[in-house]
Amino acid sequence: AQSVTQLGSHVSVSEGALVLLRCNYSSSVPPYLFWYVQYPNQGLQLLLKYTTGATLVKGINGFEAEFKKSETSFHLTKPSAHMSDAAEYFCAVSEPDSWGKFQFGAGTQVVVTP
Amino acid sequence: DAGITQSPRHKVTETGTPVTLRCHQTENHRYMYWYRQDPGHGLRLIHYSYGVKDTDKGEVSDGYSVSRSKTEDFLLTLESATSSQTSVYFCAARGTGASYEQYFGPGTRLTVT
């Protein structure tokens, strides 16, 4: 069975500093990987995804993530945090041929300080 | 928002009462999902559908049932609500193409008193 671990339930970063959110997974087959963002009282919005091809993927709002198969990781980064990045971030994994079902991590709340 | 709406958006109900949440999508997506979101647990899959009248259980399906009689509607029913079912419920949908991502509705906040 697959599982997803997000290291750190809360992360505080200064405006302009690097944002790094960690995601590790376990899966019996190479999975599809996703990062979603959730703003207060809203649904989830896709930031980026990895399915096949280039392992460094770029998403919206200046975020990017790198799939490292050997480390079973898919960490999310942004070089310079903005106040608008304050939100909760979820890593999700889907195994091929699983009806598209997602396994989510527990989420990481990002706080951006001036 | 990929054309996904949920109703109601907020509901307060009493223990033991039945509750039905509705998810409606306008994009003709084949796959639909119901999740619940609780602090410290992320989102957990309750039930999913891979076509009209084709549904299956997720990891936290006890106490919930679903129905999908039309492509656009996916209903989640709590037959007899309990306080442990107080949560935020999200519906999601996905097409059959190679994009694989799910599109989420705005959520329903359910409180069982």
Side-chain angles (χ1 to χ4, degrees), chain A residues 92-114:
Chain A
V93 170
S94 178
E95 292 187 350
D97 301 324
S98 67
W99 303 114
K101 293 181 292 182
F102 278 9
Q103 181 75 39
F104 281 92
T108 298
Q109 185 71 48
V110 172
V111 174
V112 182
T113 57

Side-chain angles (χ1 to χ4, degrees), chain B residues 47-61:
Chain B
H47 280 280
Y48 63 100
S49 169
Y50 46 94
V52 173
K53 298 185 179 178
D54 292 323
T55 65
D56 205 349
K57 297 178 180 180
E59 65 176 304
V60 290
S61 60

Side-chain angles (χ1 to χ4, degrees), chain B residues 32-77:
Chain B
M32 297 186 75
Y33 311 85
W34 276 108
Y35 296 91
R36 59 178 290 173
Q37 183 180 19
D38 305 288
H41 292 278
L43 281 78
R44 292 178 290 175
L45 183 65
I46 305 171
H47 280 280
Y48 63 100
S49 169
Y50 46 94
V52 173
K53 298 185 179 178
D54 292 323
T55 65
D56 205 349
K57 297 178 180 180
E59 65 176 304
V60 290
S61 60
D62 287 348
Y64 302 94
S65 62
V66 291
S67 65
R68 191 171 181 200
S69 58
K70 299 184 291 184
T71 298
E72 57 266 35
D73 290 325
F74 193 31
L75 304 181
L76 177 70
T77 298

Side-chain angles (χ1 to χ4, degrees), chain A residues 36 38 49 90 99-100, chain B residues 33 37 90 94 99 101-102:
Chain A
Y36 282 84
Q38 184 182 34
K49 65 182 179 183
F90 293 95
W99 303 114
Chain B
Y33 311 85
Q37 183 180 19
F90 286 97
R94 202 209 96 182
S99 61
E101 67 257 36
Q102 292 181 17

Side-chain angles (χ1 to χ4, degrees), chain A residues 48-91:
Chain A
L48 47 77
K49 65 182 179 183
Y50 171 80
T51 54
T52 60
T55 56
L56 180 64
V57 293
K58 296 184 183 299
I60 62 172
N61 302 339
F63 285 93
E64 64 181 34
E66 185 171 13
F67 168 54
K68 292 187 176 181
K69 184 178 179 181
S70 62
E71 298 177 8
T72 60
S73 68
F74 191 55
H75 302 330
L76 180 71
T77 60
K78 182 174 180 178
S80 177
H82 190 272
M83 296 299 290
S84 61
D85 295 326
E88 190 157 21
Y89 293 79
F90 293 95
C91 180

